Amino acid sequence: MTSAVSEKLQETLFELNRVEEREHKFKEENRAILSAISAMSGASNKIEVFNTLLKVIERYVAFDNALVLTRNKDTEDRYSCLVSTSHEVEKFHWRDGGTFSRCVNGQTVILYAPERVQEFSLLEPIDFESCRSALITGMTVNASESILLLFSSNRGGFDTKAQQVIERFRPLIERTIIDIDYRERLQCLVSVKTQELTASRQRFRDFAKTAGDWFWEINNNLQFTYLSSPSNESLSAEPQAIMGQLNRQPDVKNKLLDLIQVEEPFSEVEWKVYNQGAEQWISLSGRPYYDKRGNCMGFRGTAKDITIRKQRLHELQQARQQAESANAAKSQFLAMMSHEIRTPLNAVMGLLDALQQSPINEEQESWVLQMDKSAQLLLTIINDVLDLSRVESDRFALHPENINPRESVTVVFNQLKEVSSGKDIKLDVEVADNVPKLIYQDGNRFTQILLNLVGNAVKFTETGKVQVFMHAEGNTLKLAVKDTGIGISHNRKKDIFQPFTQADGSITRRYGGTGLGLSICKKLVSMMKGSIDFDSQPGVGTTFYIDIPLIKPLPQEIVHKDKSEESKLKPMNILVAEDSKANQMVVKLMLEKAGHHVVVANNGQEAIDMIDEGKTQFDIILMDMSMPVLCGIEATKQLRAKGCQLPIIALTANAMNEDKEKCLQAGMDDFVTKPIRSVVLRQALQRHVPSDATT
């Protein structure tokens, strides 16, 4: 019994010694932890904090290198090095392969063969010489994950005892890493804020140099408390001298006082001052400033010399007035030219209409057809030249129809035959068999493009030939106009399609021209969804290339020359107010051929008198716009004032949009521009005839 008690006592004493040893060890570890915490609090940077931690750990765990990794788990995939003991391990790249996830969730892991672990797969073979074994722990703080890695160059460099030490030191490690991370972020924030402050200061300096010629500060009594030196060396007077004029100009002073009373920022308050008898303009901008209690102390701002700007503004206003006057004169001139050119052209085209409907032989019909196409082409060109505002604003309008492209070439060649033969130039055309007989395009515009290009080729060629090639390629119609003329130099290629540009300014007097042809061609081709380009060699010749889409023609309709449609209108009594004898003859001829009875008035007053007399009961009135004695606008107004309800259709050579608006506002019912075509006139009559005048 005594032996058993003695043995039990020995066991108890042994256990007590072990407890005392553990207590001593824990006290020593606690003293080390407290010492580390004290040292860390005095550390000046993250390296010192980290080294203090490692000095505590290496008392109990032997290692060669250490590394702290961190990442934001919400935004980052890879870990980045926060701090390390060696550049050798600092360069490693790390990605979570499962082990790191276990560690940040509270585990401490020993790796005896790191090369088999996914996280170490990015390391090179030579890197494993310094990390043959590893001890890893981690923690998560908010969204930040941190990993502590201890490396040993020996296999089995760590054991379970080292693992237990790290587990006991985990709170200190966590606190240290948080501190390191906080310092890192704080240093980054300080660095960013420092850079922003530096940039802000530099920005302010730059703004200060450009915002105004000088800075000023005034109190609530308009007394200057600060006035800087001028930054503009071109100023002809000192700021103090200029500001001294403030009391002598009560209007400006009162304006500034009003702004101060409402305590609102102001900008660009213009102030005219006089310096040595010369007028000078100053622009003031400012805003209120306050004391700590929120009381307004005055205004601060900038002052700028705007004399040159005011002078330029005055010059621009004068230039604008001159441009507006010139534009008004141009519009007036174009309106007059439109009227003067369309009036004789009306007679030409009207008589051509009459000839087409007359009994003529086949050869004469081809002549008339050629004349008609030429007249239409002339009308198109006149419209483009006269309506410059439409040309300048790209407001062309295409009117596609079924056309034969071969006929367009024939029309152009017939137009230029006389000129080309007089210069010993041969005109030649080659049209491939695959070119359709009909395409859907604007015939007049298509012909205009060819006329401009072939006309230019003839104009700039003295001898040789001008050739037109045409073939189809897929869904594209390809044209080429080739000449043996003077050519175009390479440095003029970029300007050749600009308005009012000649290939060579020095030859303008010799060859003439407005320089609009190629510009109009390019715009028309672009509207057709095509392209235009050219190759040229000075002294050899030029070839222009055009590609436009091939659009299938619409199903053809058989159009009878007015006869089927004329039968729809019963004979009517029509009053025509027109001062031109030629146009009287044309309109009367068109209407009488359609079976109508026509009475002609030479001006608006005669038309009113005929309506008042009532000798003839008219069904409709055709009214010219510009006539002597009384114009069509005033005549229409007077007729409407008298209660006249007859349809009134304007027949006028004034083709501008504003002319149409004037006619409609005066009370007219429709607007037909000259040259008048019989089909257009018939359509206008059909729109306004009384219900009992149709069959």
Side-chain angles (χ1 to χ4, degrees):
M1 188 69 179
T2 303
S3 176
V5 171
S6 178
E7 184 178 348
K8 188 70 173 178
L9 181 60
Q10 290 293 329
E11 289 179 356
T12 302
L13 290 174
F14 179 75
E15 185 66 28
L16 180 61
N17 288 333
R18 289 181 59 186
V19 170
E20 288 178 350
E21 287 179 1
R22 286 199 299 270
E23 182 179 356
H24 178 72
K25 185 177 181 180
F26 289 152
K27 287 182 179 179
E28 184 180 349
E29 289 179 355
N30 287 336
R31 282 196 297 270
I33 291 173
L34 291 174
S35 176
I37 292 174
S38 176
M40 289 177 190
S41 63
S44 60
N45 55 60
K46 64 180 183 180
I47 300 296
E48 293 180 2
V49 174
F50 186 57
N51 289 337
T52 302
L53 170 67
L54 294 180
K55 285 179 181 179
V56 175
I57 293 176
E58 69 181 354
R59 295 181 188 178
Y60 309 98
V61 179
F63 59 89
D64 296 319
N65 285 305
L67 176 68
V68 175
L69 305 177
T70 185
R71 75 167 182 178
N72 188 307
K73 63 181 181 181
D74 296 331
T75 60
E76 297 174 346
D77 294 330
R78 291 177 177 267
Y79 288 87
S80 60
C81 175
L82 183 62
V83 65
S84 68
T85 58
S86 172
H87 292 298
E88 295 180 3
V89 295
E90 192 174 296
K91 65 181 181 180
F92 295 166
H93 298 281
W94 306 92
R95 188 188 295 272
D96 184 24
T99 302
F100 284 176
S101 296
R102 290 161 49 199
C103 292
V104 297
N105 288 325
Q107 295 187 23
T108 301
V109 177
I110 300 175
L111 301 179
Y112 295 108
E115 65 274 9
R116 300 178 183 177
V117 179
Q118 183 68 29
E119 279 81 353
F120 288 77
S121 61
L122 297 177
L123 272 63
E124 300 294 333
I126 192 174
D127 297 332
F128 288 102
E129 294 181 3
S130 60
C131 58
R132 297 185 184 276
S133 59
L135 182 58
I136 309 173
T137 190
M139 59 282 304
T140 301
V141 180
N142 297 325
S144 177
E145 293 182 349
S146 299
I147 303 290
L148 172 64
L149 296 96
L150 302 179
F151 299 108
S152 176
S153 57
N154 299 321
R155 292 283 185 184
F158 302 104
D159 55 15
T160 55
K161 183 179 179 181
Q163 185 180 22
Q164 292 172 359
V165 170
I166 295 300
E167 287 286 351
R168 290 197 300 272
F169 275 81
R170 189 181 181 86
L172 177 61
I173 295 171
E174 183 174 0
R175 180 67 259 173
T176 302
I177 292 177
I178 291 174
D179 189 35
I180 292 174
D181 184 65
Y182 175 75
R183 292 189 182 216
E184 176 76 12
R185 297 178 186 276
L186 189 60
Q187 288 175 358
C188 290
L189 181 62
V190 170
S191 177
V192 170
K193 293 299 182 182
T194 301
Q195 292 177 1
E196 290 179 354
L197 180 59
T198 303
S200 179
R201 287 176 177 175
Q202 185 60 44
R203 188 181 301 116
F204 175 77
R205 293 190 186 101
D206 294 339
F207 286 161
K209 291 179 180 179
T210 58
D213 293 328
W214 63 85
F215 295 95
W216 53 266
E217 181 182 88
I218 57 175
N219 58 24
N220 291 328
N221 297 322
L222 286 185
Q223 295 175 336
F224 286 98
T225 56
Y226 175 77
L227 193 61
S228 70
S229 299
S231 60
N232 186 353
E233 297 179 356
S234 65
L235 283 175
S236 57
E238 287 296 323
Q240 190 70 53
I242 293 177
M243 294 299 184
Q245 299 187 39
L246 188 61
N247 293 326
R248 297 194 295 272
Q249 297 187 27
D251 54 340
V252 178
K253 184 175 181 179
N254 292 334
K255 186 175 183 179
L256 291 176
L257 284 172
D258 292 340
L259 291 169
I260 288 175
Q261 289 176 358
V262 296
E263 298 183 13
E264 290 185 357
F266 61 89
S267 62
E268 299 293 331
V269 174
E270 296 183 355
W271 177 19
K272 183 169 66 174
V273 298
Y274 295 91
N275 177 38
Q276 297 178 356
E279 183 181 280
Q280 198 165 359
W281 284 88
I282 305 297
S283 173
L284 298 176
S285 298
R287 61 186 307 109
Y289 67 96
Y290 303 87
D291 61 14
K292 293 181 179 180
R293 297 182 179 180
N295 299 317
C296 181
M297 302 295 293
F299 272 66
R300 294 170 178 156
T302 60
K304 193 173 185 65
D305 183 359
I306 60 171
T307 305
I308 296 178
R309 188 175 76 185
K310 293 290 287 186
Q311 291 174 349
R312 289 177 178 173
L313 180 61
H314 180 67
E315 293 171 356
L316 286 174
Q317 290 174 342
Q318 288 184 324
R320 180 180 178 181
Q321 292 175 356
Q322 293 174 357
E324 289 175 348
S325 299
N327 188 56
K330 181 200 73 174
S331 299
Q332 186 178 3
F333 171 76
L334 292 180
M336 179 189 68
M337 288 299 297
S338 174
H339 182 273
E340 295 302 319
I341 294 175
R342 288 172 182 273
T343 298
L345 191 58
N346 179 58
V348 173
M349 299 186 75
L351 292 173
L352 285 174
D353 262 352
L355 279 174
Q356 283 181 308
Q357 299 175 28
S358 301
I360 53 179
N361 59 42
E362 185 175 347
E363 182 180 15
Q364 291 172 330
E365 186 174 1
S366 67
W367 294 346
V368 173
L369 178 62
Q370 181 64 46
M371 293 166 62
D372 184 66
K373 284 184 174 293
S374 299
Q376 290 187 39
L377 184 58
L378 176 60
L379 179 61
T380 300
I381 296 172
I382 290 172
N383 287 335
D384 289 340
V385 174
L386 293 181
D387 196 0
L388 284 178
S389 61
R390 185 160 55 95
V391 174
E392 293 167 354
S393 60
D394 294 326
R395 290 185 298 171
F396 283 107
L398 294 179
H399 302 285
E401 58 184 346
N402 292 346
I403 65 167
N404 187 339
R406 294 172 175 82
E407 289 184 358
S408 297
V409 179
T410 302
V411 170
V412 170
F413 275 22
N414 288 338
Q415 284 284 98
L416 301 172
K417 185 182 298 182
E418 183 177 351
V419 178
S420 60
S421 60
K423 298 178 69 173
D424 193 24
I425 299 174
K426 180 182 178 183
L427 297 178
D428 191 18
V429 60
E430 293 184 16
V431 181
D433 295 336
N434 63 354
V435 175
K437 293 183 179 179
L438 288 178
I439 63 174
Y440 189 67
Q441 276 294 354
D442 188 320
N444 287 336
R445 302 297 189 182
F446 184 79
T447 305
Q448 184 181 355
I449 293 170
L450 283 173
L451 180 63
N452 284 340
L453 293 179
V454 178
N456 274 353
V458 172
K459 180 166 65 173
F460 295 109
T461 301
E462 295 301 325
T463 182
K465 63 170 62 177
V466 174
Q467 297 172 285
V468 176
F469 303 93
M470 188 184 305
H471 72 281
E473 188 174 300
N475 294 324
T476 303
L477 180 65
K478 292 183 170 289
L479 295 92
V481 178
K482 182 177 182 180
D483 65 58
T484 57
I486 62 174
I488 303 169
S489 61
H490 180 73
N491 59 358
R492 298 291 295 172
K493 184 171 184 177
K494 65 181 186 334
D495 302 322
I496 201 66
F497 291 110
Q498 296 300 318
F500 308 106
T501 300
Q502 293 280 9
D504 184 353
S506 63
I507 63 173
T508 303
R509 290 187 177 180
R510 179 180 178 186
Y511 292 100
T514 63
L516 277 174
L518 291 178
S519 174
I520 292 176
C521 284
K522 185 173 180 61
K523 291 178 181 179
L524 291 177
V525 171
S526 297
M527 290 189 67
M528 294 177 178
K529 309 300 182 185
S531 61
I532 182 171
D533 203 351
F534 71 93
D535 291 327
S536 185
Q537 185 175 350
V540 177
T542 304
T543 303
F544 279 88
Y545 303 96
I546 298 176
D547 292 352
I548 60 174
L550 268 178
I551 304 176
K552 293 182 179 180
L554 297 179
Q556 282 189 289
E557 298 178 359
I558 299 176
V559 181
H560 300 284
K561 291 185 178 180
D562 307 336
K563 294 181 181 178
S564 61
E565 295 184 8
E566 283 178 1
S567 61
K568 298 178 183 178
L569 283 176
K570 291 182 179 180
M572 294 185 294
N573 292 325
I574 300 176
L575 174 60
V576 176
E578 170 65 61
D579 63 311
S580 170
K581 299 300 181 182
N583 287 332
Q584 288 177 1
M585 178 185 68
V586 169
V587 176
K588 188 174 182 180
L589 181 61
M590 288 181 180
L591 295 174
E592 288 181 345
K593 284 181 68 68
H596 304 296
H597 176 253
V598 179
V599 176
V600 176
N602 294 302
N603 54 63
Q605 187 59 54
E606 287 187 12
I608 294 174
D609 294 341
M610 291 180 182
I611 295 294
D612 291 341
E613 290 174 0
K615 294 181 178 179
T616 304
Q617 295 298 317
F618 295 106
D619 299 301
I620 200 164
I621 302 172
L622 304 181
M623 183 79 72
D624 187 18
M625 187 176 176
S626 300
M627 293 181 291
V629 183
L630 190 65
C631 69
I633 297 292
E634 292 300 323
T636 300
K637 290 179 178 179
Q638 292 185 24
L639 286 172
R640 294 308 187 203
K642 292 175 178 287
C644 177
Q645 300 296 321
L646 291 177
I648 301 177
I649 300 174
L651 297 182
T652 177
N654 296 0
M656 301 298 180
N657 288 333
E658 53 267 28
D659 297 322
K660 182 177 181 179
E661 293 175 2
K662 288 179 182 178
C663 291
L664 297 179
Q665 290 173 0
M668 296 186 182
D669 300 285
D670 211 334
F671 185 87
V672 177
T673 59
K674 297 175 182 177
I676 304 167
R677 309 312 303 270
S678 59
V679 63
V680 176
L681 181 58
R682 183 180 64 253
Q683 291 170 354
L685 292 175
Q686 287 176 326
R687 288 194 295 268
H688 301 284
V689 295
S691 57
D692 59 351
T694 57
T695 58

